[in-house]
Amino acid sequence: MATFAGCHFILHHMDSPEIILKYFPKITTHQKEQINKLGPLYEEWNARINVISRKDIEHFYERHVLHSLAIANFISFNQGSRVLDVGTGGGFPGIPLAILFPEVHFTLVDSIGKKIKIVEAVSEELGLTNVKAINGRVELLNDKFDFVVSRATASLSDLVKWTLQSIKKQGGNGIIALKGGDLKEELKGFKKVKTEALSNYFKETFFETKQIVFWPVI
């Protein structure tokens, strides 16, 4: 039993942050501490504002943190890069990526205010000074970014429609989306798109049907 802002709740069994170390053994002690804190923080917030299903919270580190960090296996963002996380929900993939890339600026956007409240609280608790949270519609942003990231938020054509004006048109920039299932129909008509199976990175069954999709702007 734990107490959080006057609420009492039972902590569910949660998988271990060790799964992150298995695939990212070179992270610093500070990053390790931040990752260790993520689980309890999300468990507490989830008891108040349900952003992660009960079944998924048991696989939190595998299905949310490690899944988000697949992007770090696909690309290493340059220091000072600006990354926009569209439809971040409770902060995925943005928060795990912000832990791994402390020299990169992340803007996390969601149209649902209570989700952004969680992003702000978790970022503050972890001391993530490279995260900016915005409650609003991404297509109304008046800012430029090197990359857009997204986790199962929308189809690639919608992501392009919403964010194209926000991506700096230079070599290597573009949209990186974490997706699952058969993408043939969705990606039809996108000539330059690249896909990568997450089973190339991670051996857990969950990743067998998961992919990264990258669409370069130029």
Side-chain angles (χ1 to χ4, degrees):
M1 179 82 77
T3 307
F4 182 66
C7 304
H8 294 279
F9 58 93
I10 310 287
L11 292 177
H12 300 290
H13 170 72
M14 184 185 276
D15 59 352
S16 162
E18 290 301 313
I19 194 170
I20 309 303
L21 293 178
K22 174 179 164 185
Y23 291 107
F24 295 92
K26 292 179 178 169
I27 60 172
T28 66
T29 306
H30 181 56
Q31 288 168 321
K32 216 177 290 185
E33 285 166 1
Q34 288 175 313
I35 284 166
N36 286 344
K37 279 183 185 174
L38 276 179
L41 273 173
Y42 275 99
E43 205 152 34
E44 288 174 356
W45 272 104
N46 214 46
R48 293 175 63 183
I49 301 168
N50 197 340
V51 286
I52 298 169
S53 75
R54 193 159 288 185
K55 194 177 111 188
D56 261 8
I57 201 91
E58 292 176 6
H59 304 279
F60 173 76
Y61 280 103
E62 177 189 276
R63 296 184 183 179
H64 294 275
V65 184
L66 188 59
H67 190 203
S68 297
L69 292 179
I71 289 171
N73 268 347
F74 180 77
I75 186 170
S76 187
F77 296 116
N78 292 331
Q79 186 172 339
S81 293
R82 293 168 54 78
V83 179
L84 171 65
D85 178 2
V86 175
T88 188
F92 301 97
I95 283 180
L97 289 171
I99 291 173
L100 219 64
F101 296 102
E103 305 298 323
V104 173
H105 306 287
F106 290 87
T107 299
L108 279 56
V109 179
D110 203 282
S111 58
I112 299 170
K114 62 185 180 181
K115 292 182 177 178
I116 287 299
K117 186 182 173 186
I118 295 177
V119 170
E120 288 172 335
V122 170
S123 301
E124 193 177 335
E125 191 71 33
L126 297 179
L128 292 173
T129 54
N130 59 333
V131 170
K132 179 181 178 182
I134 296 175
N135 174 209
R137 292 169 63 88
V138 71
E139 57 268 49
L140 302 179
L141 281 185
N142 188 17
D143 212 344
K144 292 285 184 194
F145 300 89
D146 299 293
F147 292 94
V148 167
V149 296
S150 165
R151 195 174 76 122
T153 302
S155 68
L156 185 59
S157 55
D158 278 345
L159 288 173
V160 170
K161 192 166 67 186
W162 297 340
T163 65
L164 187 57
Q165 81 289 347
S166 301
I167 305 171
K168 294 176 194 167
K169 309 291 187 287
Q170 54 197 49
N173 288 1
I175 295 172
I176 305 167
L178 291 163
K179 291 186 166 290
D182 187 352
L183 301 173
K184 261 195 227 81
E185 276 305 304
E186 183 180 333
L187 301 183
K188 221 161 53 178
F190 285 98
K191 290 191 177 70
K192 301 174 290 181
V193 77
K194 295 174 188 169
T195 60
E196 177 89 38
L198 296 199
S199 55
N200 292 342
Y201 305 148
F202 309 135
K203 297 306 164 206
E204 286 70 21
T205 316
F206 174 73
F207 297 105
E208 283 175 3
T209 58
K210 303 285 186 286
Q211 295 182 65
I212 275 185
V213 173
F214 175 58
W215 182 77
V217 284
I218 53 173

